[in-house]
Amino acid sequence: MKHLASYIMGSWVNGAGEGRKIYHALTNEILYDVTTEGLPLAESLQYGRTTGGDPLSALTFQQRGQMLKAVAKYLLAHKAELYAISAQTGATKADSWVDIEGGIATLFSYSGLANRELPDDTIWPEDEMIPLSKQGQFIGRHILSSRRGVALHINAFNFPCWGMLEKLAPTWLAGMPAIIKPATASAQVTQAMVKLIVESGLVPEGAIQLICGGVGDMFEHLDFEDVVTFTGSASTGQKLKSHPRIVEKSVPFTMEADSLNCAILGVDVQPEQPEFSLFIKEIVREMMAKAGQKCTAIRRIIVPKSQLRNVQQALLKRLSSVIVGDPAVEGVRMGALINLEQRQDVQSKVDYLRENGCELLCGGVINQQNIMGGDSQNGAFYPPTLLYCAEPFTQHAVHETEAFGPVATLMCYDNIEQAVQLAALGGGSLAGTLVTADAQVAQSVIRATARVHGRMLILNEDSSAESTGHGSPLPLLVHGGPGRAGGGEELGGLRAVKHYMQRTAIQGSPSMLTAITKQWIRGADTIADVVHPFRKHFEDLVIGDTLLTARRTVTEADIVNFACLSGDHFYVHVDKLGAAQSLFGERIAHGYFVVSAAAGLFVDAGVGPVIANYGMENLRFIEPVKIGDTIQVRLTCKKKIKKAQKIAEDTPNGVVEWDVQVFNQDDTVVALYSILTLVERREGDF
């Protein structure tokens, strides 16, 4: 029998003695023996903190994003190896695609976020300057810095690749090393992906470790800068979350647990409408995907009483056509559960539901099914199972017991208030779906049920062609939910990165905070130079480089000409009588004229290293500019972000953010904003 090795402290090692077994989902063949007995698990924490944490935290966010992209490309090039091993878990090709390539896509997504939104630095200024005094020389700001700990990721068996990568992407982007503890039942798939990452040589040594087996006494050695994230059953998660060491050291703990998610059919939907078919299709798809072994799977089907019979008939018809068997056989649409132990657990939960107010409509019995190309006796196959609960307001088992397989329960409501009540009885859910064609129904249901859900899909004919479906967590949207769902958050774009970082409020003078954040803050010292800032290459620009422009007096002709050029004849600009009655009491210049005139004052017209101006942010018009006012501009280098070259032929460049202050003859600020320019670098990456 093969031992499934762990990757600890830079080596692939096996535990001692006999451990848990990993079985082939289709044949029940023993594939691996898994144990961590005798391995230096506690020492691996300190190894990760130093050997992995130091080089990771020394990289800038931009460099970490580039690392994520490189790893994603490498994994994508070797994905065939992962598909072959994933088949051992009973997954279909479509199931494995979500797990493997969906996980890799998360790495790409977070790489893109870093490239677009994060600084070329190891410190992340989270917000803009916060004034704390009248004169502006005492200010505050929040910064995020990398924890010098290790992230312990405890994952579920159903998504051995995606489940790892969706946590790993924000962890690495935050500058933290990770120790991965996959669920034993599918640990071989996670191990195969970790092997590829290690072999790639693209991440610092110690940035990733893998524990195949139990965590031993690791929790006893966690410290306050470590982080734990957990995905799995609510009972296990609650037990770990209350560990004395977690409490003593205030170790951040994020929990994402299986929940009794629901799908609601709106009161407006009739069988002849496209939304009715969409509802049926979504239910069946969620039951079949990963053979229903999804934390986001639909467990409770909530429909209007008037449509109960129609929905029941449509579901039974569609479920009867689902072909269960070996995913390698053409035509098979649903594979097996992860192992026989899981199959027995599903059966026991179905039996319990039947004993507590639920009627069996189809499936629900092991071995009473036709298996295509598989062994119904030894394979962990379980039939698509539909139950019906006639009294969902009094039978609580249906809202508290989850059969983690292709099982869902039908129930009905009389009005929207009852539909909302049934949704809430789940005690907190990761995901919910409402299918409706009526915007008022959507408004009523979502506003009332959002509080008990982490994510909600509103599905109708318009969104159906592009919708990713009920159960698809997306990198840019929060994955998590309240109550039974664990009360934690994962993904959600950059929100997830912040979970692995320390937020600190810093207070001081603008110059001090500028030095700390490497981002110029208004009121800080500036650097005047005889060389125009637009004549400098990216490397030559210094944070605080400033230009005070010449002046320009605004005339009536300027306003009239800009109105004709832009087509903006708003009365406060061109109507003398109307403007006299306005808030301003007289005609004023267009705000966008002020911005255009400011550009004319600070731009250097000659050919130089500035490639393009491609953005403006946080524009505010503070005071009106009147006929006869004289404006002047102060341009200051606020922030620099070096951009990596994709190919050698690309012009090496970086993004420079400039602070722009426009003020009048009385030194009163009339406009504030930032512009972004693409500036050529002297030296390339190749």
Side-chain angles (χ1 to χ4, degrees):
M1 185 192 310
K2 294 181 181 178
H3 294 285
L4 195 68
S6 296
Y7 184 70
I8 297 177
M9 300 172 66
S11 299
W12 290 99
V13 292
N14 288 308
E18 186 176 351
R20 290 187 60 189
K21 306 296 187 295
I22 295 178
Y23 298 90
H24 198 298
L26 305 181
T27 65
N28 201 36
E29 169 194 359
I30 297 177
L31 299 173
Y32 299 97
D33 180 84
V34 180
T35 180
T36 55
E37 187 68 32
L39 297 183
L41 300 182
E43 291 89 337
S44 71
L45 289 167
Q46 187 58 29
Y47 180 82
R49 293 174 189 132
T50 54
T51 304
D54 289 348
L56 261 181
S57 60
L59 297 174
T60 69
F61 289 98
Q62 291 289 312
Q63 290 170 328
R64 295 171 202 161
Q66 293 160 20
M67 181 186 79
L68 291 181
K69 186 175 182 179
V71 171
K73 286 183 174 180
Y74 187 86
L75 292 177
L76 207 55
H78 295 80
K79 64 183 181 181
E81 303 171 34
L82 300 172
Y83 274 97
I85 298 173
S86 178
Q88 298 172 354
T89 68
T92 65
K93 184 70 177 292
D95 295 335
S96 296
W97 180 85
V98 172
D99 185 36
I100 297 166
E101 297 189 50
I104 295 171
T106 302
L107 293 181
F108 278 120
S109 181
Y110 273 87
S111 171
L113 282 172
N115 180 60
R116 294 189 302 273
E117 301 186 38
L118 293 182
D120 189 20
D121 197 359
T122 57
I123 295 293
W124 177 2
E126 187 181 21
D127 48 18
E128 293 298 320
M129 174 267 288
I130 302 167
L132 300 175
S133 66
K134 290 184 178 180
Q135 300 303 316
Q137 283 303 304
F138 184 58
I139 64 172
R141 197 172 189 185
H142 292 95
I143 62 171
L144 295 164
S145 54
S146 299
R147 294 173 175 270
R148 292 303 177 92
V150 65
L152 176 59
H153 296 321
I154 302 173
N155 297 324
F157 71 80
N158 49 348
F159 288 98
C161 294
W162 177 88
M164 174 179 68
L165 296 180
E166 61 102 9
K167 295 182 178 71
L168 200 51
T171 300
W172 279 347
L173 201 49
M176 280 193 85
I179 296 177
I180 312 299
K181 194 282 178 212
T184 297
S186 57
Q188 76 272 29
V189 189
T190 307
Q191 192 219 44
M193 181 169 272
V194 171
K195 276 187 175 180
L196 289 173
I197 294 172
V198 172
E199 289 168 4
S200 74
L202 295 169
V203 300
E205 174 56 47
I208 186 169
Q209 297 181 76
L210 175 72
I211 295 173
C212 294
V215 296
D217 64 346
M218 289 184 72
F219 269 64
E220 302 290 342
H221 301 277
L222 292 171
D223 211 339
F224 75 100
E225 289 197 274
D226 298 324
V227 175
V228 177
T229 62
F230 170 84
T231 300
S233 72
S235 59
T236 302
Q238 289 160 4
K239 180 180 178 182
L240 294 175
K241 192 174 184 179
S242 61
H243 190 282
R245 187 71 172 183
I246 296 289
V247 177
E248 175 193 350
K249 292 293 184 177
S250 299
V251 177
F253 190 105
T254 289
M255 176 174 161
E256 186 262 287
D258 306 329
S259 59
L260 289 153
N261 312 292
C262 70
I264 303 170
L265 183 66
V267 293
D268 59 296
V269 178
Q270 301 297 314
E272 62 272 14
Q273 291 179 261
E275 281 75 15
F276 187 90
S277 296
L278 288 172
F279 183 76
I280 301 301
K281 182 179 179 181
E282 196 70 20
I283 299 293
V284 175
R285 181 170 67 175
E286 283 297 303
M287 291 177 70
M288 291 192 310
K290 296 290 288 189
Q293 300 170 115
K294 295 170 59 181
C295 57
T296 54
I298 295 168
R299 304 301 180 193
R300 297 174 301 142
I301 309 165
I302 303 172
V303 303
K305 185 174 290 184
S306 61
Q307 296 301 328
L308 175 61
R309 187 173 185 82
N310 291 325
V311 170
Q312 178 178 320
Q313 290 176 344
L315 285 174
L316 290 174
K317 180 180 179 181
R318 198 172 186 103
L319 288 170
S320 67
S321 66
V322 174
I323 300 174
V324 180
D326 183 347
V329 177
E330 186 176 351
V332 168
R333 298 177 61 197
M334 191 178 89
L337 300 179
I338 191 70
N339 53 36
L340 294 182
E341 181 183 358
Q342 181 64 23
R343 184 176 73 169
Q344 188 54 50
D345 182 72
V346 171
Q347 184 64 64
S348 66
K349 297 293 176 54
V350 169
D351 293 342
Y352 180 78
L353 288 170
R354 293 179 67 182
E355 294 164 3
N356 289 272
C358 293
E359 173 190 347
L360 184 65
L361 299 180
C362 75
V365 181
I366 295 174
N367 296 334
Q368 290 188 8
Q369 55 181 329
N370 294 319
I371 303 300
M372 182 174 287
D375 184 342
S376 62
Q377 201 66 32
N378 295 313
F381 298 101
Y382 196 85
T385 298
L386 184 65
L387 303 168
Y388 168 62
C389 182
E391 301 291 339
F393 293 100
T394 58
Q395 297 290 344
H396 298 294
V398 73
H399 306 296
E400 298 171 352
T401 303
E402 180 180 27
F404 202 68
V407 182
T409 303
L410 189 60
M411 60 193 73
C412 59
Y413 65 89
D414 290 322
N415 50 52
I416 286 179
E417 289 73 23
Q418 285 192 347
V420 169
Q421 185 180 349
L422 288 172
L425 284 174
S429 300
L430 292 171
T433 288
L434 169 67
V435 179
T436 179
D438 188 319
Q440 289 302 312
V441 171
Q443 181 188 93
S444 298
V445 173
I446 299 301
R447 289 171 71 96
T449 58
R451 63 187 173 85
V452 293
H453 289 83
R455 177 165 48 89
M456 296 205 75
L457 166 68
I458 302 95
L459 187 62
N460 65 356
E461 185 180 18
D462 293 340
S463 65
S464 61
E466 297 181 307
S467 170
T468 54
H470 165 93
S472 302
L474 299 172
L476 299 182
L477 298 181
V478 165
H479 179 51
R484 182 189 174 96
E489 285 188 5
E490 296 175 349
L491 298 178
L494 294 180
R495 294 171 65 97
V497 180
K498 295 178 181 181
H499 176 69
Y500 300 98
M501 306 195 77
Q502 176 59 43
R503 178 181 290 107
T504 305
I506 55 174
Q507 303 161 263
S509 70
S511 293
M512 285 297 184
L513 268 59
T514 291
I516 292 167
T517 63
K518 297 183 181 178
Q519 295 184 10
W520 186 82
I521 299 171
R522 288 171 188 149
D525 295 336
T526 56
I527 303 168
D529 195 340
V530 294
V531 179
H532 193 288
F534 280 21
R535 308 303 303 169
K536 296 182 178 182
H537 283 78
F538 182 86
E539 295 92 336
D540 302 329
L541 283 165
V542 177
I543 300 299
D545 266 352
T546 193
L547 169 71
L548 182 63
T549 70
R551 301 180 181 89
R552 171 172 178 168
T553 299
V554 177
T555 67
E556 180 180 16
D558 289 331
I559 296 174
V560 172
N561 288 336
F562 190 82
C564 293
L565 179 65
S566 65
D568 180 354
H569 292 87
F570 190 58
Y571 75 96
V572 297
H573 307 311
V574 298
D575 183 345
K576 183 176 181 179
L577 296 179
Q581 301 173 28
S582 72
L583 172 69
F584 308 107
E586 60 183 293
R587 281 184 292 168
I588 63 171
H590 303 70
Y592 294 110
F593 166 77
V594 175
V595 172
S596 299
L601 289 170
F602 66 67
V603 166
D604 182 277
V607 176
V610 175
I611 300 169
N613 175 343
Y614 72 94
M616 179 186 297
E617 295 179 343
N618 304 315
L619 173 61
R620 294 290 183 274
F621 297 119
I622 310 300
E623 294 289 340
V625 175
K626 302 175 181 179
I627 296 171
D629 280 354
T630 298
I631 61 172
Q632 191 174 19
V633 182
R634 182 177 294 279
L635 180 77
T636 307
C637 179
K638 179 179 180 180
K639 183 167 62 175
K640 296 168 57 180
I641 301 176
K642 177 184 174 183
K643 293 296 182 182
Q645 286 175 266
K646 295 182 179 178
I647 56 174
E649 289 73 24
D650 288 345
T651 300
N653 61 72
V655 173
V656 178
E657 182 176 343
W658 304 88
D659 177 82
V660 183
Q661 301 176 67
V662 185
F663 47 93
N664 63 19
Q665 66 279 358
D666 301 319
D667 286 333
T668 300
V669 174
V670 299
L672 296 171
Y673 55 98
S674 296
I675 61 167
L676 303 172
T677 59
L678 206 60
V679 180
E680 187 175 342
R681 290 192 278 121
R682 292 184 183 278
E683 297 181 1
D685 301 326
F686 293 88

